[in-house]
Amino acid sequence: MIAAVLAPGDRPTIERHWRTFTRAATADPTTTDTGGSIGLFAYPGTPPGRSARGERVWIGDLRNFSVETPGTSRGDFAVIAANGEEELLLAKGRFGGRPLFYATGGAGRSLVACSRIGPLVAALEDSSFDLDALGAYLVWGSLPDAEQTLYRRIRRVLPASAIRVGAEGVRERYDLGRDVVPARRASVDELAPELRDRVNAAIERAF
């Protein structure tokens, strides 16, 4: 699990959320940086997962990463990076298997992000279900806004995208591209067994 808190001039808020995330992870973070107005945390089981000084924390295979040019990022990853004192960069690779959620605003005018939605809900004292979103999901099986979750304040980062976000909300969006290049070419009949084996292996890894 990775998590971050941005709360300019409000150290108690950062420390309170840090304690909430740590209880949810049932372990102390392997990386902690609570300097300035941003706290970044990586917890055990996060592969490979961390930057020593906390410039960023991530899950997965992160390559060519730069806060200045997030569009160059490649790999299967979810990353949270500090971008100055009052902004985070949140990004995901083109695959959807590494969740990343965030919430802005609230009473403390803060920004909280986490790779798991449960700890994020616990960290937000004023979080509640969005009844309109819940109704849409029950009726249609999906939400009208791809970034929306069933919680009123919580949003998700979409695959192959990055956002610059502050306590007031999203400031800029980037498309990371979907540079999928076929490794080889063959007929459908020849590729079907390989695809089946890879899907089965992915399901086994997830379980």
Side-chain angles (χ1 to χ4, degrees), residues 5-125:
V5 184
L6 184 155
D10 189 357
R11 298 294 302 167
T13 292
I14 294 177
E15 292 172 3
R16 185 176 70 253
H17 288 328
W18 167 73
R19 288 192 293 270
T20 301
F21 289 133
T22 298
R23 284 195 300 271
T26 65
D28 290 329
T30 55
T31 292
T32 302
D33 182 4
T34 56
S37 61
I38 296 175
L40 290 152
F41 314 102
Y43 289 87
T46 301
R50 54 195 179 272
S51 173
R53 263 295 300 160
E55 297 98 356
R56 62 187 184 273
V57 289
W58 72 93
I59 297 174
D61 176 22
L62 177 63
R63 303 189 301 272
N64 303 326
F65 177 77
S66 167
V67 170
E68 292 78 18
T69 56
T72 62
S73 303
R74 292 293 179 267
D76 178 17
F77 64 87
V79 62
I80 305 173
N83 187 23
E85 283 295 306
E86 297 188 2
E87 184 176 272
L88 293 179
L89 180 78
L90 310 178
K92 283 182 57 174
R94 65 178 180 263
F95 302 105
R98 303 193 185 278
L100 190 56
F101 305 95
Y102 68 97
T104 60
R109 298 300 300 166
S110 61
L111 163 63
V112 188
C114 187
S115 59
R116 288 167 47 192
I117 197 167
L120 187 54
V121 171
L124 302 174
E125 297 173 351

Side-chain angles (χ1 to χ4, degrees), residues 131-144 150:
L131 296 183
D132 291 336
L134 183 58
Y137 185 78
L138 291 174
V139 172
W140 304 108
S142 62
L143 297 175
L150 296 180

